[in-house]
Amino acid sequence: MGATVTTEATEVRGDARGPLNVSYGKMMMWYFILSDSLTFCGFLVGYGFTRYKFMDTWPIADEVFNHFPFLHGVDAPMYYVALMTFILIFSSVTMVLAVDAGHQMKRKKVATYMFLTILGGLVFIGSQAWEWKNFINGSYGAVETRGGSILQFVGEDGKQIALADFVVADPNKNDATLTRANATWFVNGPKKSTYSLAEVQAGFDANPNIRIRTQKTTDAKHKEILSREASVERLKDAVLVVEGANLIRNEYGHKTFADFFFFITGFHGFHVCTGILINIIIFFNVLLGTYDRRGSYEMVEKGGLYWHFVDLVWVFVFTFFYLV
């Protein structure tokens, strides 16, 4: 009887499957996906509450994410973000095909589809880096008031104009190249902007057709544009020129907008980079015939679970952050 018990225990351990008839590795991947989903859920819920609280002053995504490669100056709201999303979703399709080929033990097809998945991930992460660059550098520039509000500038047609289009340069401004003898150490404080507040004020005074657009969103889902007289009075509260975005302030509007953008998209980008690394390791193991010798391509399936999770999370990020 004792020998019988030992044999049964050995068979259970050798099968390595639990109550749901799933291997230990796949079960642990599902546990990770569940826990990480709760983490992303917390981030998105926090973003939702913050946006709802400051709904009247939240930036309009179509005006912020309107760049497209090689189309400088063309207003293309969300086009590039949509293209990034399509590329990532298509990489999920190639991953599905890789898993299916693994079930059929077709090594060459698995390698081909894994390569396409990795390529899609690299294109996506490169596109996200390009999007970050444009977000950080900014397109127009603005000024910040004593109360922390952002004031943007618009022309007669109501469209936003860049500071470079109307500022009056100060002829006495010292733009000499810094050397060890005349350099200044910035121990603390904001990054020095391209234009001074005096230059912006002089350009505003010299162009009577320019008006100020505030952070406040009207009922028509547009930002409030002040009259020329109100713009003159409002500009008197300006204390700082803001260009681009960082973790402290941004030219687009509410300060926490950039914080959430960097944190949520950056955290997702970290997951994509991790997925690319995992897929590269699996890809080389496929080429080396590792899974043929094991007699199973389950590792491709586990990598596919993670990659589908990353894609699904981006769909939610894209919906909540960019579309809503």
Side-chain angles (χ1 to χ4, degrees):
M1 178 177 290
T4 303
V5 172
T6 304
T7 303
E8 290 178 353
T10 303
E11 288 177 355
V12 171
R13 288 196 299 269
D15 187 46
R17 291 187 179 272
L20 300 178
N21 198 31
V22 177
S23 68
Y24 176 81
K26 288 175 66 174
M27 180 66 75
M28 290 302 102
M29 179 59 73
W30 277 113
Y31 280 147
F32 168 77
I33 290 174
L34 178 61
S35 62
D36 215 28
S37 297
L38 296 176
T39 304
F40 273 105
C41 182
F43 294 157
L44 292 176
V45 168
Y47 169 79
F49 275 114
T50 305
R51 178 170 178 173
Y52 179 78
K53 182 178 180 180
F54 302 105
M55 184 180 298
D56 293 340
T57 59
W58 205 254
I60 300 174
D62 284 350
E63 297 180 351
V64 178
F65 307 105
N66 60 349
H67 305 90
F68 203 92
F70 311 112
L71 296 178
H72 180 71
V74 176
D75 186 28
M78 312 304 275
Y79 289 4
Y80 195 59
V81 181
L83 178 61
M84 291 166 51
T85 304
F86 172 78
I87 292 172
L88 193 61
I89 292 176
F90 185 76
S91 71
S92 258
V93 175
T94 57
M95 177 57 84
V96 169
L97 294 174
V99 172
D100 181 66
H103 289 161
Q104 301 176 41
M105 302 297 290
K106 296 180 179 179
R107 185 173 67 175
K108 289 185 179 181
K109 283 190 174 182
V110 174
T112 300
Y113 291 130
M114 287 297 301
F115 175 78
L116 292 176
T117 302
I118 294 169
L119 182 62
L122 290 173
V123 172
F124 175 83
I125 207 67
S127 300
Q128 196 171 53
W130 185 85
E131 191 72 41
W132 269 45
K133 176 186 72 69
N134 287 284
F135 186 81
I136 293 172
N137 293 337
S139 301
Y140 298 101
V143 295
E144 184 177 319
T145 65
R146 291 185 181 88
S149 298
I150 293 296
L151 304 179
Q152 300 168 339
F153 299 91
V154 297
E156 292 179 322
D157 56 358
K159 294 183 178 180
Q160 191 174 356
I161 57 177
L163 298 180
D165 295 336
F166 70 89
V167 296
V168 176
D170 184 0
N172 298 320
K173 185 177 180 180
N174 183 18
D175 291 329
T177 303
L178 293 179
T179 62
R180 183 178 294 274
N182 65 358
T184 303
W185 289 93
F186 291 93
V187 179
N188 196 6
K191 179 183 177 181
K192 186 178 179 181
S193 58
T194 306
Y195 308 104
S196 66
L197 190 58
E199 290 175 320
V200 174
Q201 181 70 60
F204 180 79
D205 295 338
N207 293 273
N209 60 320
I210 295 179
R211 292 183 292 169
I212 281 180
R213 188 175 77 164
T214 68
Q215 290 183 197
K216 185 177 180 180
T217 306
T218 64
D219 295 336
K221 302 301 181 182
H222 297 291
K223 294 298 182 180
E224 177 188 41
I225 299 177
L226 304 178
S227 64
R228 176 65 184 187
E229 293 74 18
S231 298
V232 172
E233 291 299 318
R234 196 77 172 91
L235 192 57
K236 293 179 181 179
D237 294 333
V239 295
L240 184 69
V241 177
V242 181
E243 294 175 299
N246 52 48
L247 293 175
I248 301 175
R249 55 178 55 87
N250 65 86
E251 68 174 48
Y252 311 107
H254 200 277
K255 293 183 177 181
T256 56
F257 174 73
D259 297 341
F260 275 109
F261 175 80
F262 288 129
F263 193 76
I264 293 177
T265 62
F267 192 61
H268 177 267
F270 169 75
H271 280 70
V272 175
C273 290
T274 304
I276 292 172
L277 180 60
I278 293 172
N279 287 339
I280 289 175
I281 294 173
I282 295 174
F283 172 71
F284 280 108
N285 278 328
V286 171
L287 294 181
L288 294 173
T290 302
Y291 306 125
D292 284 326
R293 290 191 294 272
R294 292 182 183 177
S296 172
Y297 277 80
E298 186 179 286
M299 185 59 70
V300 177
E301 189 173 353
K302 288 186 284 188
L305 287 174
Y306 178 83
W307 193 253
H308 297 323
F309 164 71
V310 169
D311 290 0
L312 182 61
V313 167
W314 177 253
V315 171
F316 283 97
V317 172
F318 175 72
T319 302
F320 282 85
F321 203 95
Y322 293 92
L323 295 184
V324 177

